[in-house]
Amino acid sequence: MKKKDLRVMRTHKMIIEAFFHLVEEKGFEAITIQEIADRAMINRATFYAHFKDKQDLYDQIFDFAVKAFTSVLDADKTIQGNRIEVKKIELLLTTIYNNIHKNKNFFLTIMDGSSNEILRRKLADILYEKYADTLAQLKITENDIEVPIDFIIEYMTSIFIGTLHWWVTSETDMTPNHLARLVIKLVGNGHLTVLGIEIEK
């Protein structure tokens, strides 16, 4: 496999960093390709050699951001039989929140408006892909009525995005681990146990 040219990688990084700074200063809608190029100290042609347009740049960073904190998910390590191992989920969530905290400026950009719903939808799709088979084995029921897997994933995704939005956009000094423990406590002690899932603390 051919290695990427270091100059290409460096230019790519400069464009992304310039984009971050400009979005933070002016907002996504207000910035232009020329401004991104000027900030990255390149010409417009070089920008277009890397990205089709401003939206393509945004989409590629967005996809990278999503993968950065969903790649740590592993159902086999967190769910055993009808039992969810909370300590392992706490470690996973803490890792995810740490990744988000390191890129807080970008997540501030994507946690508002239509981008927030796109993020929620992407996460739901990824969680369904990773966890559908495992959750199906749990056979989650409420009053003898089996709860649809997609309902559970939509519900959990909404909780995750809602609490994440608060954490990223508020002035809180809550640490990634504190947030992970709080989310698990709220969800684990109530919603999951009601559905008949054993919580291993």
Side-chain angles (χ1 to χ4, degrees), residues 31-99:
I31 61 177
T32 65
I33 299 295
Q34 188 62 57
E35 287 175 319
I36 297 171
D38 290 345
R39 184 67 65 94
M41 294 182 290
I42 59 172
N43 56 43
R44 286 171 62 93
T46 302
F47 175 92
Y48 287 117
H50 289 262
F51 303 99
K52 288 186 292 186
D53 51 29
K54 184 173 69 170
Q55 189 62 48
D56 181 44
L57 167 58
Y58 179 93
D59 291 343
Q60 286 193 41
I61 299 172
F62 188 97
D63 287 340
F64 175 79
V66 170
K67 289 173 185 174
F69 63 86
T70 57
S71 60
V72 300
L73 298 174
D74 190 338
D76 294 336
K77 293 180 180 177
T78 56
I79 302 176
Q80 300 293 332
N82 206 50
R83 178 177 297 165
I84 290 181
E85 299 183 31
V86 169
K87 271 296 173 190
K88 290 182 180 178
I89 292 181
E90 183 182 317
L91 289 173
L92 292 180
L93 276 180
T94 300
T95 301
I96 289 169
Y97 292 141
N98 271 320
N99 287 339

Side-chain angles (χ1 to χ4, degrees), residues 176-194:
N177 181 247
H178 187 180
L179 178 62
R181 284 188 284 115
L182 181 60
V183 169
I184 287 169
K185 189 171 184 179
L186 291 173
V187 176
N189 288 349
H191 309 126
L192 296 180
T193 50
V194 165

Side-chain angles (χ1 to χ4, degrees), residues 74-142:
D74 190 338
D76 294 336
K77 293 180 180 177
T78 56
I79 302 176
Q80 300 293 332
N82 206 50
R83 178 177 297 165
I84 290 181
E85 299 183 31
V86 169
K87 271 296 173 190
K88 290 182 180 178
I89 292 181
E90 183 182 317
L91 289 173
L92 292 180
L93 276 180
T94 300
T95 301
I96 289 169
Y97 292 141
N98 271 320
N99 287 339
I100 292 169
H101 193 260
K102 288 174 187 174
N103 299 284
K104 187 174 180 181
N105 288 339
F106 180 68
F107 279 94
L108 277 169
T109 305
I110 66 173
M111 292 306 293
D112 281 317
S114 59
S115 294
N116 194 44
E117 173 56 23
I118 294 169
L119 177 62
R120 194 198 65 76
R121 183 69 264 152
K122 279 183 175 285
L123 279 177
D125 290 344
I126 291 167
L127 288 172
Y128 192 87
E129 181 183 330
K130 283 181 174 286
Y131 285 87
D133 291 342
T134 305
L135 288 172
Q137 292 172 18
L138 291 176
K139 295 192 181 302
I140 300 168
T141 59
E142 170 63 14

